[in-house]
Amino acid sequence: PPPRGPGAMDLAYVCEWEKKPKSNHCPSIPLVCAWSCRNLIAFTTDLKNEEERDLTHMVHIIDTEHPWDVYSVNSGHAEVITCLEWDQSGSRLLSADADGHIKCWSMTDHLANSWENTVGSQVEGDPVVALSWLHNGVKLALHVEKSGASNFGEKFSRVKFSPSLTLFGGKPMEGWIAVTISGLVTVSLLKPNGQVLTSTESLCRLRCRVALADVAFTGGGNIVVATSDGSSTSPVQFYKVCVSVVNEKCKIDTEILPSLFMRCTTDPARKDKYPAITHLKFLARDMSEQVLLCASNQNSSIVECWSLRKEGLPVNNIFQQISPVVGDKQPMILKWRILSATNDLDRVSAVALPKLPISLTNTDLKVANDTKFFPGLGLALAFHDGSVHIVHRLSLQMMAVFYGSSQRPGDEQAIKRQRTAAPLVHFKAMQLSWTSLALAGIDSHGKLSMLRISPSMGHVLDMNMSLRHLLFLLEYCMVTGYDWWDILLHVQPNMVQNLVEKLHEEYMRQNAALQQVLSTRIVAMKASLCKLSSSTIARVCDYHAKLFLIAISCTLKSLLRPHFLNTPDKSPGDRLTEICSKITDIDIDKVMINLKTEEFVLEMTTLQSLQQLIQWVGDFVLYLLASLPNQGSPGRPGHSFLRDGASLGMFRELMVVIRIWGLLKPSCLPVYTATSDTQDSMSLLFRLLTKLWLCCREENHITEPDDTLIDECCLLPSQLLIPNIDWLPINDGIISKLQNKQLVRLQFGKAPGLVGHTVSSQFDAFVRAPGQPKIDHLRRLHLGAYPTEECKSCTRCGCVTMLKSPNKVTAVKQWEQRWIKNCLCGGLWRRMPLSYS
């Protein structure tokens, strides 16, 4: 494709450090950064302290939705940090330094803004130049040509790939591999009991200096290491590394693979022009047969892409007569061949490679080009003049340009001035997000810039095609479980309705088992999309309430125990569902009679501890039924439940369970404020709920509720006090402020004011104002107006809950286990300051 104009890349936000007085602070020089599949970014800076004249090597971790809420930790590394690597789950981080120390960081209490170093390894005094987690054997391929296929398994197929090392039973073993400057390779294995097995070997018998290295994996479970001594006149060497465990010890075997010389050194025109190799990268961790090289001098660079091919070796005729076997079949050898090279470029300061595992077959590439779907096909190069180019990963042709703040194309004078002026600000480290729709760069002052990258690289597409691109990537995140924040950067308010509908259609085309696995993830995805448009904002509340309902329903049903242990048929929870859907009686006691009451017997303390959750179910049912008469306003939360047969069916089952439990322990029942003492509120609500459920229990023909039902619901406010529902607060994250494409400037450590945020103002009607009592959204406990307990909030939906559990009862522990690692919506938790009111 020809070079694109502006519009392919733009700045979404920048976040910088507070300017300190010169005396105690030098600019933090960034070194490396890494981006995890949970959309956490880790980067390093060096802080200089004037008094002690020493450097502190800091690691900073941010969540892209709250970049100002940075968690900075003194890494404890004595020397400069040279590598940062996230693991495949995106929740653990490795850091390595120029003293040979490697540390593994993980979250404290599953909080994204609290990290601790748990284990590590070291090669004393030997700087680490390359680092990687061992491969876990999971590899997908995205097939662009199949983007219209109905089945997710065809669009995103699993590639046969062996883990680097397996435990008994084929489970992948966790661990990491590193290469040091003196030519050693070190492997550390994490045993399930927390022990670390480390082993170190020389890469080859003749050890030589390794200035640059990279690690990749082969489908057969081997590891390939590429090394360079930094000079372009020396060969780039490749080694195969095999790791095994023998007698509880880690064993490493290495063998030499074919090497290569960069083409620019053999080209007479450029013979001595680029003396140094400055970047050496495999194109992906699981593509050991393609490598990217960059050679540079003081002012300019050249980039080459090579691939490893099997080639036949021509054999002399003499041998063919002696041995006919050789004549029939040429012997094959592996040989590096150059795929493409750039012209002379400005000096490259950083390289970012795509992480989207896009399939590179000819048909996939053709379809991608025809439909202008480019994520995963471009890699980013940052230059010393502050600009960034995105080039095609195979042809290295330019796909998009971003000009840094200091220059604009065509301004020759400015460029001449700059050559003499102070050095320009440029990215020293850069990473692409997991869908390639965003790029983070850290510049020479430690400032973080977040760039949007258009999926079509700036080509103007019709709305339908733009939606298809985003939908394809949303589905990919749904299947992999990755966070989809970077896709939301591209969603405009007028796309939301369409995307939600299409996502639902695609989901409904999957088989029942897969639907079950993805059932909560799709609800969370719809919620995050609906936040981005003022017309769908009320539905965000509904989707979060639905996640809560699904979780409560699973937890309460799992507490039921079969009376006889050897009952062969269904679990009590499944039987409850079956009986409730078969017996459509509107009288709660007639439904109850059909159940085996002994399955519902629980300890009194357990029932009492569930009262807050039971209360929520009771309140929500009452709120829904009372809002049925004015259902004409889709702008109110709860509206979508009135037509959702599945959710109403769940509420109906729970009402039956609660009714039975109420016979055992009346104090666990939901408390209603009724106008008459004799009224049986539960059976009244059950009767109305059943009538409403019957209207929409079959998705294909939903009928309108009849007038008598609506009249009865109109009477509810005069019979019962309608409760206030505590909806989730609208999130304080950055995403909704980025839609008008205006650059947002932020500062680390300082939350921005929510100025001019249109969407949230309409929403304030449903959310508690400051100074009003706060609530623990998951335990449904009131925390008071100024909470004294430490709380955590979800980085995606803003749901708040206490850090420490106030309960000891197992049933409640079981409920809390559902959201101890992640929120119900899948978001990570972050610790909140005590004064969050």
Side-chain angles (χ1 to χ4, degrees):
R4 300 301 309 156
M9 295 164 81
D10 66 298
L11 262 178
Y13 64 73
V14 294
C15 199
E16 42 200 325
W17 297 98
E18 191 186 346
K19 302 269 189 299
K20 292 254 179 75
K22 267 283 177 283
S23 61
N24 62 353
H25 191 87
C26 81
S28 353
I29 304 296
L31 309 152
V32 275
C33 75
W35 192 324
S36 91
C37 61
R38 309 290 301 268
N39 282 323
L40 295 174
I41 295 179
F43 62 100
T44 61
T45 59
D46 284 351
L47 281 180
K48 188 173 180 186
N49 190 332
E50 284 297 313
E51 289 84 62
E52 289 126 46
R53 298 264 154 159
D54 60 350
L55 287 177
T56 315
H57 304 288
M58 306 292 291
V59 173
H60 310 283
I61 296 174
I62 61 153
D63 157 43
T64 52
E65 173 74 329
H66 305 93
W68 58 87
D69 185 16
V70 62
Y71 180 73
S72 301
V73 58
N74 177 350
S75 65
H77 282 295
E79 293 290 332
V80 164
I81 299 171
T82 53
C83 307
L84 282 179
E85 284 291 324
W86 287 102
D87 71 343
Q88 283 95 344
S89 73
S91 48
R92 282 182 311 179
L93 180 71
L94 287 178
S95 61
D97 66 16
D99 196 27
H101 286 250
I102 299 171
K103 299 189 175 199
C104 174
W105 301 85
S106 50
M107 285 185 243
T108 320
D109 301 330
H110 308 289
L111 296 169
N113 55 357
S114 187
W115 294 77
E116 58 189 355
N117 165 223
T118 41
V119 291
S121 65
Q122 65 199 61
V123 188
E124 200 62 61
D126 200 352
V128 175
V129 288
L131 177 67
S132 170
W133 288 90
L134 295 177
H135 204 286
N136 61 0
V138 177
K139 178 173 154 89
L140 285 179
L142 260 92
H143 299 281
V144 185
E145 65 155 331
K146 299 255 171 56
S147 68
S150 59
N151 162 346
F152 286 165
E154 284 179 49
K155 296 183 195 184
F156 316 112
S157 66
R158 182 86 187 253
V159 180
K160 204 168 154 39
F161 207 88
S162 300
S164 313
L165 198 61
T166 50
L167 288 159
F168 181 72
K171 188 175 186 274
M173 188 146 186
E174 297 193 303
W176 56 83
I177 174 171
V179 181
T180 69
I181 207 161
S182 74
L184 293 178
V185 57
T186 175
V187 173
S188 296
L189 304 175
L190 289 177
K191 293 183 64 180
N193 63 7
Q195 220 183 329
V196 181
L197 294 180
T198 299
S199 171
T200 305
E201 262 313 315
S202 179
L203 268 174
C204 62
R205 282 208 292 268
L206 285 172
R207 268 168 70 186
C208 54
R209 175 170 187 267
V210 175
L212 303 168
D214 199 19
V215 179
F217 302 94
T218 68
N222 291 323
I223 303 167
V224 180
V225 172
T227 67
S228 157
D229 66 4
S231 160
S232 61
T233 52
S234 311
V236 177
Q237 304 276 10
F238 294 86
Y239 304 93
K240 183 165 95 181
V241 177
C242 302
V243 183
S244 51
V245 174
V246 183
N247 308 334
E248 287 294 297
K249 286 208 165 51
C250 172
K251 182 170 177 289
I252 303 174
D253 294 298
T254 62
E255 68 176 78
I256 295 182
L257 293 173
S259 55
L260 68 87
F261 280 96
M262 283 192 70
R263 194 178 70 182
C264 60
T265 56
T266 55
D267 169 2
R270 296 193 175 100
K271 194 160 174 5
D272 303 315
K273 190 170 175 189
Y274 299 106
I277 295 185
T278 51
H279 296 87
L280 159 63
K281 296 263 185 213
F282 286 107
L283 265 162
R285 281 267 181 253
D286 44 27
M287 279 189 66
S288 55
E289 59 287 340
Q290 209 178 325
V291 66
L292 187 82
L293 297 160
C294 170
S296 310
N297 58 29
Q298 244 23 80
N299 305 316
S300 53
S301 295
I302 190 164
V303 176
E304 297 178 2
C305 184
W306 289 70
S307 85
L308 189 64
R309 311 242 175 110
K310 272 201 169 117
E311 295 186 1
L313 193 64
V315 177
N316 193 301
N317 290 341
I318 299 172
F319 296 111
Q320 292 189 0
Q321 288 147 18
I322 302 170
S323 156
V325 185
V326 177
D328 295 346
K329 194 162 183 266
Q330 266 189 329
M332 302 298 277
I333 58 160
L334 287 170
K335 203 161 181 187
W336 284 100
R337 287 274 178 220
I338 188 160
L339 266 182
S340 51
T342 61
N343 294 326
D344 301 351
L345 307 163
D346 200 88
R347 185 162 165 206
V348 172
S349 63
V351 176
L353 296 173
K355 301 181 183 69
L356 194 71
I358 197 147
S359 160
L360 296 173
T361 63
N362 289 339
T363 41
D364 281 315
L365 288 171
K366 184 179 183 319
V367 173
N369 205 27
D370 294 347
T371 57
K372 302 286 176 266
F373 178 82
F374 297 120
L377 289 175
L379 57 95
L381 304 172
F383 297 99
H384 274 258
D385 65 2
S387 64
V388 177
H389 291 182
I390 292 189
V391 296
H392 196 285
R393 61 190 285 176
L394 299 173
S395 67
L396 296 181
Q397 281 184 324
M398 175 99 78
M399 296 166 83
V401 195
F402 170 77
Y403 295 100
S405 49
S406 46
Q407 59 161 107
R408 279 278 167 272
D411 186 355
E412 288 300 321
Q413 277 320 105
I415 291 173
K416 281 193 184 117
R417 274 202 304 279
Q418 284 159 9
R419 285 281 147 83
T420 53
L424 294 167
V425 174
H426 58 263
F427 291 149
K428 295 206 109 167
M430 203 170 48
Q431 283 266 314
L432 281 162
S433 75
W434 283 64
T435 60
S436 283
L437 293 187
L439 175 75
I442 319 257
D443 70 19
S444 25
H445 297 304
K447 176 170 82 175
L448 176 106
S449 303
M450 180 62 68
L451 299 170
R452 264 192 210 91
I453 302 177
S454 127
S456 65
M457 292 295 168
H459 287 89
V460 180
L461 301 177
D462 63 19
M463 188 55 141
N464 207 5
M465 192 56 90
S466 302
L467 287 172
R468 248 184 65 187
H469 289 352
L470 295 179
L471 186 67
F472 189 46
L473 292 169
L474 281 169
E475 291 166 357
Y476 169 68
C477 288
M478 188 154 61
V479 170
T480 52
Y482 295 161
D483 186 68
W484 57 92
W485 178 89
D486 39 331
I487 304 175
L488 299 179
L489 278 177
H490 297 268
V491 176
Q492 289 301 310
N494 59 348
M495 300 177 170
V496 171
Q497 188 73 33
N498 261 332
L499 268 177
V500 171
E501 283 166 19
K502 286 197 162 76
L503 197 62
H504 184 75
E505 276 168 34
E506 290 298 324
Y507 169 78
M508 294 310 289
R509 292 162 76 175
Q510 309 311 310
N511 63 34
L514 186 58
Q515 282 191 25
Q516 173 98 39
V517 172
L518 303 177
S519 60
T520 52
R521 207 172 286 157
I522 185 168
V523 177
M525 232 174 215
K526 289 175 180 173
S528 63
L529 286 165
C530 286
K531 248 182 209 164
L532 300 177
S533 159
S534 51
S535 58
T536 50
I537 199 83
R539 279 160 58 190
V540 179
C541 295
D542 292 12
Y543 288 129
H544 288 311
K546 184 161 182 174
L547 284 172
F548 194 64
L549 167 65
I550 294 170
I552 284 189
S553 166
C554 292
T555 305
L556 297 188
K557 280 186 192 171
S558 70
L559 294 174
L560 309 179
R561 291 283 169 267
H563 187 49
F564 303 109
L565 278 178
N566 56 0
T567 39
D569 54 346
K570 302 185 172 63
S571 71
D574 293 343
R575 193 156 50 248
L576 168 76
T577 306
E578 192 180 18
I579 286 171
C580 285
S581 62
K582 205 159 61 189
I583 295 170
T584 56
D585 207 297
I586 56 173
D587 182 349
I588 191 164
D589 296 321
K590 286 188 181 157
V591 178
M592 204 169 81
I593 287 166
N594 293 283
L595 290 161
K596 299 183 183 158
T597 331
E598 58 270 19
E599 293 181 344
F600 291 77
V601 176
L602 292 180
E603 288 175 19
M604 295 301 155
T605 48
T606 304
L607 290 177
Q608 190 55 53
S609 68
L610 295 170
Q611 204 279 327
Q612 280 88 4
L613 299 182
I614 289 173
Q615 184 70 45
W616 180 83
V617 174
D619 282 351
F620 205 88
V621 169
L622 172 53
Y623 171 85
L624 283 183
L625 292 168
S627 66
L628 180 65
N630 60 4
Q631 56 176 321
S633 62
R636 283 191 56 175
H639 178 263
S640 63
F641 277 99
L642 302 174
R643 292 277 177 280
D644 180 355
S647 297
L648 295 174
M650 272 189 215
F651 276 123
R652 190 167 170 267
E653 289 165 26
L654 292 176
M655 293 287 272
V656 175
V657 177
I658 293 168
R659 179 72 162 198
I660 298 175
W661 285 346
L663 299 174
L664 297 169
K665 185 168 180 69
S667 66
C668 79
L669 286 171
V671 180
Y672 293 112
T673 312
T675 42
S676 91
D677 297 342
T678 52
Q679 163 182 303
D680 180 350
S681 307
M682 287 272 307
S683 65
L684 165 70
L685 291 176
F686 185 84
R687 193 179 83 236
L688 300 177
L689 178 64
T690 304
K691 286 184 177 176
L692 180 58
W693 168 69
L694 288 172
C695 294
C696 57
R697 59 190 287 220
E698 282 169 34
E699 214 179 306
N700 303 334
H701 52 162
I702 293 176
T703 57
E704 285 301 308
D706 58 4
D707 291 347
T708 50
L709 173 58
I710 291 182
D711 291 346
E712 285 189 86
C713 289
C714 281
L715 291 174
L716 275 176
S718 60
Q719 295 165 309
L720 294 164
L721 180 71
I722 309 299
N724 264 335
I725 299 291
D726 281 287
W727 303 102
L728 280 190
I730 187 79
N731 199 347
D732 59 348
I734 191 81
I735 198 83
S736 45
K737 296 206 278 294
L738 297 175
Q739 287 187 306
N740 55 6
K741 297 277 174 108
Q742 293 294 312
L743 169 63
V744 177
R745 293 185 179 280
L746 304 163
Q747 201 176 39
F748 287 118
K750 249 181 153 163
L754 285 170
V755 190
H757 181 27
T758 46
V759 174
S760 65
S761 52
Q762 304 174 293
F763 205 81
D764 291 338
F766 321 128
V767 180
R768 298 187 165 205
Q772 275 192 312
K774 299 285 183 289
I775 186 165
D776 179 324
H777 293 112
L778 296 178
R779 295 189 180 90
R780 308 311 300 179
L781 296 171
H782 292 275
L783 302 174
Y786 300 98
T788 50
E789 284 296 310
E790 262 210 296
C791 290
K792 57 184 182 179
S793 80
C794 169
T795 53
R796 293 295 174 260
C797 69
C799 159
V800 173
T801 184
M802 284 184 287
L803 256 179
K804 295 194 176 58
S805 168
N807 293 303
K808 300 282 178 288
V809 187
T810 28
V812 181
K813 286 261 158 68
Q814 198 173 330
W815 166 238
E816 290 171 354
Q817 279 301 317
R818 281 193 169 271
W819 37 264
I820 189 130
K821 283 188 177 170
N822 303 312
C823 175
L824 295 174
C825 74
L828 289 165
W829 293 113
R830 60 185 186 129
R831 184 192 298 269
M832 298 182 74
L834 250 181
S835 60
Y836 89 93
S837 49

